[in-house]
Amino acid sequence: SMGVQQDLLPLIEGSTVTLKDGTTIDTDCILFICSGAFHMSKPSDMIAELQGRLPVRVELQPLTEKEFRRILIEPKFNLLAQQQAMMKAENVDIEFSDSGIDALAPCTLR
């Protein structure tokens, strides 16, 4: 919506933002990648100032189950390893079997 775009503009243009805890962040040297809310937008749907600051538009294809499975297991700090570490902090050991991982992958497509 127009309101969201107006709210994002100062951040993308470069400003100092104060967080809830009082910490300030200068956004001048932050690379912004916008997705989600803009996935159905054409460039002409965006306010001119935002169009100029987000000049590159890339449309991605949906991931497959096989690709989601790779995301779950291949990166060094993958999602399953993160879940194992969080459970370990509660003294719970958890293992994910291949069949369990195969069952998780289609859930991510919903």
Side-chain angles (χ1 to χ4, degrees), residues 6-45:
Q6 293 287 352
D7 289 344
L8 285 174
L9 194 55
L11 296 173
I12 293 173
E13 287 181 325
S15 61
T16 301
V17 179
T18 303
L19 304 178
K20 290 179 184 179
D21 67 357
T23 306
T24 59
I25 296 176
D26 182 358
T27 67
D28 283 334
C29 295
I30 296 177
L31 171 65
F32 287 90
I33 299 172
C34 300
S35 66
F38 298 104
H39 79 283
M40 297 295 288
S41 301
K42 301 182 299 263
S44 60
D45 294 336

